[in-house]
Amino acid sequence: MTGKREEKDEADVVGMWVTADGRIRQELRADGRYDEARDDRRSAYTGRYTVTGRHLDYVDDSGFTATGDIRDGVLYHEHLVLHREEKQA
């Protein structure tokens, strides 16, 4: 399963997720890839992710793994708390 929503009970995660202070920005793309910027470091971390229900499994291009969960519209990714960025018209 990629970032696409294929089952009703799976979270729709595609989009930009941002910490409250804006220092960390994680783009979850529809093709199952992610790109995470930290401060001024664009693409600080890149890799792929899968979604199972409301749980995310990440595999970074360098090989390390991480997890996340969507609860009440908030992405809890390891020690980070990210909120979906609203699209601007």
Side-chain angles (χ1 to χ4, degrees), residues 2 4 15 17 19-20 24 26 29 38 47 50 56 63 74-75 78 86:
T2 64
K4 293 181 182 176
W17 296 81
T19 56
I24 299 174
Q26 187 177 94
R29 299 185 340 211
R38 292 191 172 226
T50 57
L56 288 83
V74 177
L75 172 55
E78 299 297 332
E86 296 298 321

PDB file of all heavy atoms in Angstrom, residues 2 4 15 17 19-20 24 26 29 38 47 50 56 63 74-75 78 86:
ATOM      1  N   THR A   2       0.636   2.115  -0.901  1.00  0.00           N
ATOM      2  CA  THR A   2       1.365   3.375  -0.926  1.00  0.00           C
ATOM      3  C   THR A   2       0.555   4.417  -0.181  1.00  0.00           C
ATOM      4  O   THR A   2      -0.392   4.103   0.503  1.00  0.00           O
ATOM      5  CB  THR A   2       1.607   3.837  -2.372  1.00  0.00           C
ATOM      6  OG1 THR A   2       0.352   4.092  -2.976  1.00  0.00           O
ATOM      7  CG2 THR A   2       2.395   2.817  -3.165  1.00  0.00           C
ATOM      8  N   LYS A   4      -1.580   6.278  -1.252  1.00  0.00           N
ATOM      9  CA  LYS A   4      -2.937   6.424  -1.779  1.00  0.00           C
ATOM     10  C   LYS A   4      -3.933   5.772  -0.837  1.00  0.00           C
ATOM     11  O   LYS A   4      -3.663   4.757  -0.221  1.00  0.00           O
ATOM     12  CB  LYS A   4      -3.044   5.785  -3.160  1.00  0.00           C
ATOM     13  CG  LYS A   4      -2.235   6.501  -4.205  1.00  0.00           C
ATOM     14  CD  LYS A   4      -2.407   5.846  -5.540  1.00  0.00           C
ATOM     15  CE  LYS A   4      -1.565   6.536  -6.587  1.00  0.00           C
ATOM     16  NZ  LYS A   4      -1.646   5.875  -7.872  1.00  0.00           N
ATOM     17  N   GLY A  15       0.077  14.727   1.444  1.00  0.00           N
ATOM     18  CA  GLY A  15       0.122  16.171   1.627  1.00  0.00           C
ATOM     19  C   GLY A  15       1.329  16.582   2.454  1.00  0.00           C
ATOM     20  O   GLY A  15       2.229  15.784   2.713  1.00  0.00           O
ATOM     21  N   TRP A  17       2.945  17.869   5.944  1.00  0.00           N
ATOM     22  CA  TRP A  17       2.761  17.820   7.391  1.00  0.00           C
ATOM     23  C   TRP A  17       3.885  18.654   8.020  1.00  0.00           C
ATOM     24  O   TRP A  17       5.039  18.540   7.607  1.00  0.00           O
ATOM     25  CB  TRP A  17       2.809  16.377   7.881  1.00  0.00           C
ATOM     26  CG  TRP A  17       1.689  15.545   7.353  1.00  0.00           C
ATOM     27  CD1 TRP A  17       1.612  14.945   6.127  1.00  0.00           C
ATOM     28  CD2 TRP A  17       0.463  15.259   8.013  1.00  0.00           C
ATOM     29  NE1 TRP A  17       0.423  14.286   5.994  1.00  0.00           N
ATOM     30  CE2 TRP A  17      -0.311  14.455   7.143  1.00  0.00           C
ATOM     31  CE3 TRP A  17      -0.059  15.585   9.269  1.00  0.00           C
ATOM     32  CZ2 TRP A  17      -1.567  13.987   7.488  1.00  0.00           C
ATOM     33  CZ3 TRP A  17      -1.313  15.111   9.612  1.00  0.00           C
ATOM     34  CH2 TRP A  17      -2.049  14.332   8.726  1.00  0.00           C
ATOM     35  N   THR A  19       5.561  20.631  11.729  1.00  0.00           N
ATOM     36  CA  THR A  19       5.565  20.820  13.171  1.00  0.00           C
ATOM     37  C   THR A  19       5.029  22.218  13.493  1.00  0.00           C
ATOM     38  O   THR A  19       5.042  23.107  12.639  1.00  0.00           O
ATOM     39  CB  THR A  19       6.984  20.666  13.757  1.00  0.00           C
ATOM     40  OG1 THR A  19       7.874  21.573  13.100  1.00  0.00           O
ATOM     41  CG2 THR A  19       7.496  19.240  13.608  1.00  0.00           C
ATOM     42  N   ALA A  20       4.589  22.426  14.717  1.00  0.00           N
ATOM     43  CA  ALA A  20       3.987  23.705  15.124  1.00  0.00           C
ATOM     44  C   ALA A  20       4.938  24.873  14.905  1.00  0.00           C
ATOM     45  O   ALA A  20       4.502  25.974  14.542  1.00  0.00           O
ATOM     46  CB  ALA A  20       3.543  23.643  16.585  1.00  0.00           C
ATOM     47  N   ILE A  24      10.192  21.557  10.848  1.00  0.00           N
ATOM     48  CA  ILE A  24      10.231  20.270  10.158  1.00  0.00           C
ATOM     49  C   ILE A  24       8.993  20.168   9.281  1.00  0.00           C
ATOM     50  O   ILE A  24       7.867  20.368   9.736  1.00  0.00           O
ATOM     51  CB  ILE A  24      10.296  19.104  11.156  1.00  0.00           C
ATOM     52  CG1 ILE A  24      11.570  19.236  11.998  1.00  0.00           C
ATOM     53  CG2 ILE A  24      10.229  17.757  10.427  1.00  0.00           C
ATOM     54  CD1 ILE A  24      11.689  18.243  13.114  1.00  0.00           C
ATOM     55  N   GLN A  26       7.273  17.617   6.389  1.00  0.00           N
ATOM     56  CA  GLN A  26       7.320  16.282   5.800  1.00  0.00           C
ATOM     57  C   GLN A  26       6.243  16.179   4.723  1.00  0.00           C
ATOM     58  O   GLN A  26       5.053  16.259   5.008  1.00  0.00           O
ATOM     59  CB  GLN A  26       7.095  15.231   6.886  1.00  0.00           C
ATOM     60  CG  GLN A  26       7.283  13.826   6.403  1.00  0.00           C
ATOM     61  CD  GLN A  26       7.110  12.852   7.535  1.00  0.00           C
ATOM     62  OE1 GLN A  26       6.016  12.354   7.724  1.00  0.00           O
ATOM     63  NE2 GLN A  26       8.179  12.592   8.267  1.00  0.00           N
ATOM     64  N   ARG A  29       3.940  11.915  -0.357  1.00  0.00           N
ATOM     65  CA  ARG A  29       3.455  11.961  -1.732  1.00  0.00           C
ATOM     66  C   ARG A  29       2.571  10.762  -2.041  1.00  0.00           C
ATOM     67  O   ARG A  29       2.675   9.712  -1.409  1.00  0.00           O
ATOM     68  CB  ARG A  29       4.643  12.018  -2.686  1.00  0.00           C
ATOM     69  CG  ARG A  29       5.488  13.258  -2.447  1.00  0.00           C
ATOM     70  CD  ARG A  29       6.617  13.461  -3.417  1.00  0.00           C
ATOM     71  NE  ARG A  29       7.056  12.298  -4.141  1.00  0.00           N
ATOM     72  CZ  ARG A  29       8.294  12.102  -4.547  1.00  0.00           C
ATOM     73  NH1 ARG A  29       9.227  12.997  -4.290  1.00  0.00           N
ATOM     74  NH2 ARG A  29       8.623  11.021  -5.232  1.00  0.00           N
ATOM     75  N   ARG A  38      14.324  19.845   7.168  1.00  0.00           N
ATOM     76  CA  ARG A  38      14.581  20.250   8.549  1.00  0.00           C
ATOM     77  C   ARG A  38      15.310  21.576   8.530  1.00  0.00           C
ATOM     78  O   ARG A  38      16.416  21.666   7.992  1.00  0.00           O
ATOM     79  CB  ARG A  38      15.390  19.192   9.280  1.00  0.00           C
ATOM     80  CG  ARG A  38      14.572  17.927   9.472  1.00  0.00           C
ATOM     81  CD  ARG A  38      15.247  16.972  10.406  1.00  0.00           C
ATOM     82  NE  ARG A  38      14.343  15.872  10.687  1.00  0.00           N
ATOM     83  CZ  ARG A  38      14.110  15.393  11.893  1.00  0.00           C
ATOM     84  NH1 ARG A  38      14.713  15.917  12.934  1.00  0.00           N
ATOM     85  NH2 ARG A  38      13.278  14.408  12.068  1.00  0.00           N
ATOM     86  N   GLY A  47      12.637   8.920   1.417  1.00  0.00           N
ATOM     87  CA  GLY A  47      12.450   7.482   1.417  1.00  0.00           C
ATOM     88  C   GLY A  47      11.043   7.128   1.000  1.00  0.00           C
ATOM     89  O   GLY A  47      10.367   7.894   0.326  1.00  0.00           O
ATOM     90  N   THR A  50       4.580   3.306   3.838  1.00  0.00           N
ATOM     91  CA  THR A  50       3.361   2.549   3.597  1.00  0.00           C
ATOM     92  C   THR A  50       2.369   2.882   4.706  1.00  0.00           C
ATOM     93  O   THR A  50       2.763   3.283   5.810  1.00  0.00           O
ATOM     94  CB  THR A  50       3.613   1.027   3.569  1.00  0.00           C
ATOM     95  OG1 THR A  50       4.223   0.631   4.792  1.00  0.00           O
ATOM     96  CG2 THR A  50       4.500   0.641   2.395  1.00  0.00           C
ATOM     97  N   LEU A  56       1.752   4.320   9.927  1.00  0.00           N
ATOM     98  CA  LEU A  56       2.700   4.503   8.826  1.00  0.00           C
ATOM     99  C   LEU A  56       4.020   3.835   9.184  1.00  0.00           C
ATOM    100  O   LEU A  56       4.486   3.925  10.327  1.00  0.00           O
ATOM    101  CB  LEU A  56       2.973   5.987   8.572  1.00  0.00           C
ATOM    102  CG  LEU A  56       1.850   6.786   7.931  1.00  0.00           C
ATOM    103  CD1 LEU A  56       0.843   7.234   8.967  1.00  0.00           C
ATOM    104  CD2 LEU A  56       2.422   7.986   7.214  1.00  0.00           C
ATOM    105  N   GLY A  63      18.380   3.588   4.749  1.00  0.00           N
ATOM    106  CA  GLY A  63      18.163   2.277   5.342  1.00  0.00           C
ATOM    107  C   GLY A  63      17.507   2.267   6.711  1.00  0.00           C
ATOM    108  O   GLY A  63      17.030   1.224   7.137  1.00  0.00           O
ATOM    109  N   VAL A  74      -3.817  14.260  13.547  1.00  0.00           N
ATOM    110  CA  VAL A  74      -2.447  14.658  13.849  1.00  0.00           C
ATOM    111  C   VAL A  74      -1.533  13.477  13.561  1.00  0.00           C
ATOM    112  O   VAL A  74      -1.854  12.332  13.884  1.00  0.00           O
ATOM    113  CB  VAL A  74      -2.308  15.092  15.334  1.00  0.00           C
ATOM    114  CG1 VAL A  74      -0.874  15.432  15.683  1.00  0.00           C
ATOM    115  CG2 VAL A  74      -3.238  16.268  15.622  1.00  0.00           C
ATOM    116  N   LEU A  75      -0.377  13.749  12.943  1.00  0.00           N
ATOM    117  CA  LEU A  75       0.614  12.715  12.648  1.00  0.00           C
ATOM    118  C   LEU A  75       1.659  12.700  13.763  1.00  0.00           C
ATOM    119  O   LEU A  75       2.366  13.682  13.980  1.00  0.00           O
ATOM    120  CB  LEU A  75       1.283  12.983  11.297  1.00  0.00           C
ATOM    121  CG  LEU A  75       2.481  12.101  10.922  1.00  0.00           C
ATOM    122  CD1 LEU A  75       2.141  10.615  10.979  1.00  0.00           C
ATOM    123  CD2 LEU A  75       3.005  12.491   9.550  1.00  0.00           C
ATOM    124  N   GLU A  78       7.414   9.185  15.387  1.00  0.00           N
ATOM    125  CA  GLU A  78       8.443   9.030  16.408  1.00  0.00           C
ATOM    126  C   GLU A  78       8.239  10.114  17.468  1.00  0.00           C
ATOM    127  O   GLU A  78       7.178  10.192  18.048  1.00  0.00           O
ATOM    128  CB  GLU A  78       9.838   9.049  15.777  1.00  0.00           C
ATOM    129  CG  GLU A  78      10.067   7.925  14.773  1.00  0.00           C
ATOM    130  CD  GLU A  78      10.001   6.519  15.349  1.00  0.00           C
ATOM    131  OE1 GLU A  78      10.293   6.326  16.555  1.00  0.00           O
ATOM    132  OE2 GLU A  78       9.652   5.597  14.609  1.00  0.00           O
ATOM    133  N   GLU A  86      -2.610  23.314   5.502  1.00  0.00           N
ATOM    134  CA  GLU A  86      -3.756  23.621   4.655  1.00  0.00           C
ATOM    135  C   GLU A  86      -3.262  24.133   3.299  1.00  0.00           C
ATOM    136  O   GLU A  86      -2.340  24.947   3.240  1.00  0.00           O
ATOM    137  CB  GLU A  86      -4.636  24.687   5.309  1.00  0.00           C
ATOM    138  CG  GLU A  86      -5.268  24.225   6.605  1.00  0.00           C
ATOM    139  CD  GLU A  86      -6.200  23.033   6.434  1.00  0.00           C
ATOM    140  OE1 GLU A  86      -6.927  22.992   5.419  1.00  0.00           O
ATOM    141  OE2 GLU A  86      -6.184  22.149   7.301  1.00  0.00           O
TER     142      GLU A  86
END
